[in-house]
Amino acid sequence: MGRSPSFERGLKKGPWTSEEDRKLVAYVEEHGHGSWRSLPIKAGLQRCGKSCRLRWTNYLRPDIKRGKFSLQEEETIIQLHALLGNRWSAIATHLPKRTDNEIKNYWNTNLKKRLTKMGIDPITHKSRTATDTNLSHMTQWENARLEAEARFVRGSTNVVSHFYQQIHCTSPPFMTNNKLAMSSLSLPCLDVLKAWQGINITSCKLSDLSGLQTPKDQTMPPMVNLIENVEPSSLYKDMITTEDHGMNSWEISKTSLFNTLECPQDKGTDDQNLFEVNDMIYQDDYLTEALTNHLVKDFEDDKSYWSNILDKVGNNSSFSTVF
DNA sequence: AATATCTGCAACCGCCGCACG
DNA sequence: TCGTGCGGCGGTTGCAGATAT
């Protein structure tokens, strides 16, 4: 049988007293929290372990910053929310000394309302007029697409930069004039994501797409196939036209992108989720994760793309993350 | 000054995934 | 393989203080 609820065991609920706080802090500072379940008894508290853990992580922990959120923090929350949705713990990892609960509260009571007032849907981060037309059922798709866009912007920017430097012995223009470039240059990421979006919008069968393997779960094409099967835009083709070892630069750039990612391969047992690329076996879940990490690792350095988004938030009437 | 309404936030609830026996 | 316990997460609630009427 399950455990009895805390109220049935005579445990206290509601706001914490300063005496309870003092006991909890004293215990954790001396012994560490260890097992939260056994902590209340050892610390002399009439609370359940869960309540103690929440009180500690959201309030008593010494490395917590309290008070008003800075503009920088607000921007970061909006950017990350556009990327990650309501994944508050993930967002919190990028805001030092802020808890997920605090960020969630701030979003719900402040930022969400502000975006709504500006005519921006706080779920999709798109203008109302765009979301009104359709597609509540596509919200999940859209979130995934946004996430993938951001992932791929990081990867492709690095790769394109790498090859441009090899060819021209100088940094590409979009690396030296980010704002202009990110809005005008058609990077391969956009082609990938347009393809992804196209699959979504037309609801065609994945098997209709030449070369696409069909995953066990057909609700979403595997990341590896999207990267593998999408052709570069004409602009990008013009920029990289050299041949090397029988592969054009587009092929090389994809290879390079794969090579920059560290994908653990020894964890999964589901063969349908494994893909071979350049003699390497990738598990698609991990490829997706690796791409995300690739993005997040350099997130702070990639201000241009997100300042572009925030500029659009500022000019809210035309804000849209759709290409 | 009294009352109603709004706002911010701490805390709780229910669910999920993982580890373990 | 299944059941159980635990930690973690996101959604929601309820209260206290602030503000409006």
Side-chain angles (χ1 to χ4, degrees):
Chain A
M1 296 298 285
R3 284 161 288 164
S4 55
S6 57
F7 67 85
E8 287 179 13
R9 287 178 274 142
L11 299 179
K12 194 182 167 199
K13 289 173 64 175
W16 280 64
T17 65
S18 52
E19 176 64 12
E20 287 175 312
D21 283 348
R22 192 192 58 73
K23 282 182 181 175
L24 180 55
V25 170
Y27 182 87
V28 174
E29 282 182 348
E30 191 174 344
H31 304 98
H33 62 73
S35 163
W36 285 111
R37 185 163 163 73
S38 59
L39 181 146
I41 297 168
K42 293 176 185 169
L45 289 160
Q46 297 290 96
R47 296 270 182 176
C48 66
K50 199 170 186 174
S51 180
C52 294
R53 179 173 58 79
L54 243 58
R55 183 63 179 171
W56 174 259
T57 54
N58 287 338
Y59 199 86
L60 298 174
R61 236 174 49 196
D63 57 336
I64 287 180
K65 178 169 135 191
R66 312 200 69 79
K68 195 172 159 48
F69 280 74
S70 67
L71 186 61
Q72 171 80 39
E73 287 174 316
E74 284 187 5
E75 288 180 356
T76 304
I77 293 169
I78 293 170
Q79 291 166 1
L80 289 172
H81 189 271
L83 256 181
L84 303 168
N86 293 358
R87 288 154 63 184
W88 305 115
S89 61
I91 292 171
T93 62
H94 299 282
L95 285 153
K97 302 185 177 183
R98 297 290 189 181
T99 68
D100 53 357
N101 203 40
E102 195 177 12
I103 293 165
K104 179 175 61 181
N105 282 335
Y106 191 66
W107 173 265
N108 285 329
T109 60
N110 196 313
L111 296 178
K112 193 162 91 175
K113 288 176 188 170
R114 261 198 271 166
L115 287 178
T116 303
K117 269 188 181 173
M118 291 161 67
I120 296 167
D121 187 308
I123 297 170
T124 62
H125 291 251
K126 291 161 64 177
S127 68
R128 266 294 151 54
T129 48
T131 52
D132 282 349
T133 52
N134 58 16
L135 308 183
S136 59
H137 66 283
M138 284 173 63
T139 298
Q140 277 190 309
W141 262 100
E142 186 64 15
N143 285 340
R145 190 187 59 74
L146 284 166
E147 191 171 345
E149 174 203 4
R151 288 187 205 114
F152 220 86
V153 163
R154 285 301 317 159
S156 57
T157 302
N158 291 343
V159 170
V160 171
S161 172
H162 172 71
F163 281 99
Y164 191 98
Q165 286 183 34
Q166 282 197 348
I167 295 162
H168 299 283
C169 301
T170 180
S171 295
F174 63 83
M175 295 300 284
T176 53
N177 186 356
N178 279 335
K179 200 151 191 169
L180 172 67
M182 297 305 278
S183 59
S184 62
L185 179 65
S186 180
L187 291 171
C189 65
L190 303 187
D191 298 292
V192 169
L193 291 153
K194 275 179 183 171
W196 194 346
Q197 192 176 34
I199 292 162
N200 177 18
I201 289 171
T202 61
S203 299
C204 66
K205 291 178 184 173
L206 295 178
S207 55
D208 292 338
L209 294 165
S210 164
L212 286 185
Q213 299 167 21
T214 306
K216 187 172 62 179
D217 176 2
Q218 293 202 357
T219 58
M220 190 177 287
M223 178 65 69
V224 68
N225 282 345
L226 288 167
I227 299 169
E228 277 288 277
N229 289 285
V230 175
E231 285 299 307
S233 69
S234 57
L235 184 62
Y236 185 70
K237 271 180 175 164
D238 289 344
M239 198 174 95
I240 46 171
T241 56
T242 58
E243 295 278 337
D244 185 13
H245 303 300
M247 281 198 295
N248 65 31
S249 295
W250 171 247
E251 293 299 327
I252 297 169
S253 71
K254 286 193 292 189
T255 304
S256 286
L257 175 57
F258 278 111
N259 289 345
T260 63
L261 304 173
E262 295 175 9
C263 292
Q265 300 143 29
D266 56 350
K267 206 173 165 184
T269 55
D270 182 0
D271 288 346
Q272 295 185 66
N273 200 25
L274 298 177
F275 300 89
E276 185 174 347
V277 180
N278 306 325
D279 299 326
M280 295 287 288
I281 303 295
Y282 291 92
Q283 186 175 24
D284 204 61
D285 292 346
Y286 283 94
L287 180 60
T288 302
E289 185 182 330
L291 279 160
T292 303
N293 291 338
H294 194 69
L295 160 70
V296 165
K297 196 166 65 179
D298 298 322
F299 186 82
E300 279 303 308
D301 297 329
D302 193 18
K303 297 289 186 194
S304 59
Y305 177 71
W306 290 106
S307 66
N308 201 16
I309 285 184
L310 287 167
D311 284 349
K312 289 175 179 174
V313 172
N315 305 321
N316 62 78
S317 61
S318 62
F319 177 67
S320 169
T321 54
V322 177
F323 320 109

